[in-house]
Amino acid sequence: MIITDSGFADGERLVLDKPLVSELRRRREEALTALRTGSPVYGVTTGMGRLAGVALDARQQAEHQRNLLIGRAVGGPPWLPPADVRALLVVRLRDFLQPWSGVSAELVQFLVDRLNDGFTPAVPRSGLGSSGEIIPLAHAFQTFLGIGTVLEDGVEVPAAVALASRGAAPYVLGPKEGASLLQGSPLAVVHAQRGWADARQLIRLQTLTEAMAIDVLGAPREVFSPVMAGSDDHLRSVLLSLGGLAGDGPVRAGVVQAPLSVRVAPRALAHASRVNAELESAFRRWATMPGDSPSFVDGSFIPGTGYHAADLGLRMDAVTAALVHLGEVSVQRQHRLLDERFSGLPPQLTTDPGPQAGLVPLHKRAVGELHALRRLASPATLGSVDTSAGQEDVQAFAWAAGEQLRSAASHLYAITACELVTASQARWLAADGVAGLGEAYEWVRSVVPVVEEDRALGAEVRRLIEELPDALG
């Protein structure tokens, strides 16, 4: 994949476009010229944080960029998974291709080479109390200097050894390059992009499970009419989707209203869709804003605040809360499916009530997942503490909000799998259902066959959970 000024897609071998290399060199020369004016430049000719007022002489400046990546590497395991580390490097590469970065073409090429050869720094995923992401970024990029640790098939290996095995010499930082590697919030961006994608998929899957519940319980359809959405486009979209999936099914005799968990699910889905769309807008805006501090803009170095990713963190907190609510609705809805008073089917969806337990144990699994999910609803972005002798007195903790969002998604995938299996079993026991859902039921049964007598479902449910992120096309 050729990398140009217009961007690139990750996942293939990356090659820098020659005109882009020339442009990077031009920008770098402009930045170096501006540094020679003698005006103080934060983190380059001065210290950082509380020590920003300390001027550095020429010798100290030469050492300072390297020291920035060493002294701040105070984290430890657990480490980020390799896929997230690669994503972090990709976001950093995209940052460096912007006109305001001013880093050298050599640093960009070194980063591209490490993406191409599978170089995976050991990056801590917790214990990060800085105003931005300097701790994880120090761990990530000191490895370019042959310092610190990388992961090779999950095993910790000295970075110098990993570079040597690739035939690469440790990188020698130029002016400002250490500071640039530390700035911004690329980890928050990674979490926002991946958390948003998981939430979008879960909203689609939870729309499907809601349609299955409407089908199995024979719920009256009037409450799901799009006319009830008013001016809420997200709610209208959900209601239209449900109408397409389950709108033409029969209503169970004697049912005036479906359980509340079935009736209000569209509003929960609409809210989740709305806050997730806001998260998407936020991380896409981040790609348009200088993240370095200082950034090189119009020939001058301008201090920035791209390390304060509160707008990403607070939105990730909001999406997490929305997913928790979807989990609560889903677990309640699953319980209704197991209850013969609501379904008209055998108790606990078993073929032999009493001797066989049916799917009640599966609901207990979902309840355990919900218990873990609820504990993630407390906002991670809030809770600033003074650091750097008061110079840095606010933290965003957006990375922590991202960790919580993605953990929440994993629990909701498990809850969703439990409900899908329950709905599939219920429809099998009830025979005919809505034609539009037939393919979905068959897909679930291809992974978790119907339960004609009790069996251990753990491994089958695990396989279904693993398939859910890529399900529905």
Side-chain angles (χ1 to χ4, degrees):
M1 174 65 65
I2 303 295
I3 305 174
T4 67
D5 268 330
S6 61
F8 63 96
D10 186 34
E12 302 180 40
R13 184 172 180 82
L14 303 175
V15 179
L16 287 175
D17 184 49
K18 288 184 179 179
L20 175 57
V21 172
S22 298
E23 179 62 15
L24 289 170
R25 295 190 189 284
R26 185 190 66 77
R27 296 171 189 166
R28 178 63 172 169
E29 187 54 42
E30 287 183 355
L32 292 176
T33 299
L35 283 174
R36 296 186 192 108
T37 64
S39 299
V41 178
Y42 174 74
V44 182
T45 65
T46 74
M48 293 187 77
R50 185 68 178 84
L51 303 177
V54 177
L56 305 179
D57 60 30
R59 180 187 60 80
Q60 291 170 327
Q61 289 180 34
E63 298 173 349
H64 185 50
Q65 297 306 300
R66 178 183 175 87
N67 291 341
L68 288 174
L69 297 177
I70 297 173
R72 287 157 177 79
V74 296
W79 307 118
L80 284 175
D84 284 4
V85 176
R86 179 176 176 85
L88 173 63
L89 299 182
V90 167
V91 172
R92 184 86 301 174
L93 174 59
R94 287 179 172 141
D95 291 341
F96 285 173
L97 295 180
Q98 303 304 317
W100 51 74
S101 73
V103 300
S104 68
E106 288 74 20
L107 177 56
V108 174
Q109 183 64 63
F110 193 91
L111 179 49
V112 168
D113 290 341
R114 302 293 74 79
L115 280 165
N116 285 337
D117 63 25
F119 191 78
T120 308
V123 181
R125 65 188 302 173
S126 61
L128 315 177
S130 52
S131 60
E133 295 177 358
I134 60 171
I135 294 174
L137 295 179
H139 279 271
F141 295 114
Q142 69 171 356
T143 61
F144 284 17
L145 316 184
I147 302 168
T149 306
V150 302
L151 301 176
E152 302 277 11
D153 296 323
V155 177
E156 295 183 17
V157 175
V161 172
L163 288 174
S165 70
R166 291 163 169 77
Y171 185 77
V172 178
L173 294 165
K176 195 182 176 297
E177 291 187 325
S180 292
L181 286 166
L182 282 180
Q183 292 295 338
S185 292
L187 182 54
V189 173
V190 169
H191 282 316
Q193 291 175 331
R194 297 195 164 197
W196 163 79
D198 273 332
R200 180 183 59 173
Q201 176 70 343
L202 283 161
I203 292 165
R204 296 175 68 201
L205 289 165
Q206 281 286 309
T207 302
L208 175 62
T209 57
E210 164 71 357
M212 289 178 170
I214 294 170
D215 175 36
V216 169
L217 299 177
R221 305 305 202 267
E222 292 85 355
V223 70
F224 306 113
S225 171
V227 73
M228 302 304 291
S231 62
D232 188 336
D233 291 338
H234 289 276
L235 181 55
R236 178 176 290 101
S237 178
V238 171
L239 293 171
L240 287 170
S241 294
L242 290 172
L245 290 168
D248 60 350
V251 175
R252 186 175 168 226
V255 176
V256 177
Q257 283 194 326
L260 195 63
S261 56
V262 178
R263 283 181 281 142
V264 303
R267 288 191 176 273
L269 289 161
H271 174 71
S273 175
R274 183 178 301 107
V275 295
N276 204 44
E278 292 172 359
L279 175 59
E280 180 187 12
S281 295
F283 75 69
R284 294 195 186 284
R285 284 196 300 273
W286 268 71
T288 70
M289 297 184 291
D292 206 344
S293 182
S295 294
F296 188 63
V297 180
D298 295 332
S300 300
F301 289 100
I302 301 177
T305 56
Y307 46 81
H308 192 68
D311 51 340
L312 294 179
L314 289 166
R315 285 178 172 86
M316 286 190 280
D317 282 335
V319 175
T320 297
L323 296 188
V324 172
H325 187 50
L326 288 182
E328 292 180 327
V329 172
S330 179
V331 169
Q332 292 300 93
R333 201 167 51 212
Q334 184 183 353
H335 206 213
R336 301 292 84 80
L337 293 172
L338 290 161
D339 192 329
E340 68 275 14
R341 295 172 300 169
F342 295 97
S343 69
L345 298 172
Q348 303 182 181
L349 300 180
T350 176
T351 57
D352 190 9
Q356 302 286 331
L359 297 192
V360 159
L362 196 60
H363 179 254
K364 295 180 187 293
R365 164 73 186 275
V367 168
E369 297 286 351
L370 178 59
H371 181 62
L373 175 58
R374 281 171 169 156
R375 298 201 301 274
L376 298 169
S378 177
T381 311
L382 307 179
S384 294
V385 178
D386 265 14
T387 65
S388 294
Q391 180 73 9
E392 297 177 6
D393 53 359
V394 177
Q395 296 86 24
F397 297 114
W399 61 269
E403 285 279 347
Q404 289 193 175
L405 170 55
R406 296 178 66 192
S407 294
S410 69
H411 289 299
L412 187 52
Y413 274 125
I415 290 169
T416 302
C418 292
E419 188 179 6
L420 284 169
V421 174
T422 304
S424 170
Q425 178 80 1
R427 175 44 60 203
W428 174 69
L429 289 168
D432 294 338
V434 173
L437 291 170
E439 185 177 343
Y441 287 127
E442 288 303 317
W443 165 67
V444 175
R445 292 169 195 159
S446 71
V447 183
V448 184
V450 295
V451 181
E452 300 188 58
E453 60 180 34
D454 288 353
R455 66 177 188 270
L457 292 174
E460 296 172 38
V461 172
R462 179 181 178 182
R463 285 195 294 273
L464 182 58
I465 293 169
E466 291 171 349
E467 290 198 15
L468 291 183
D470 300 314
L472 306 181

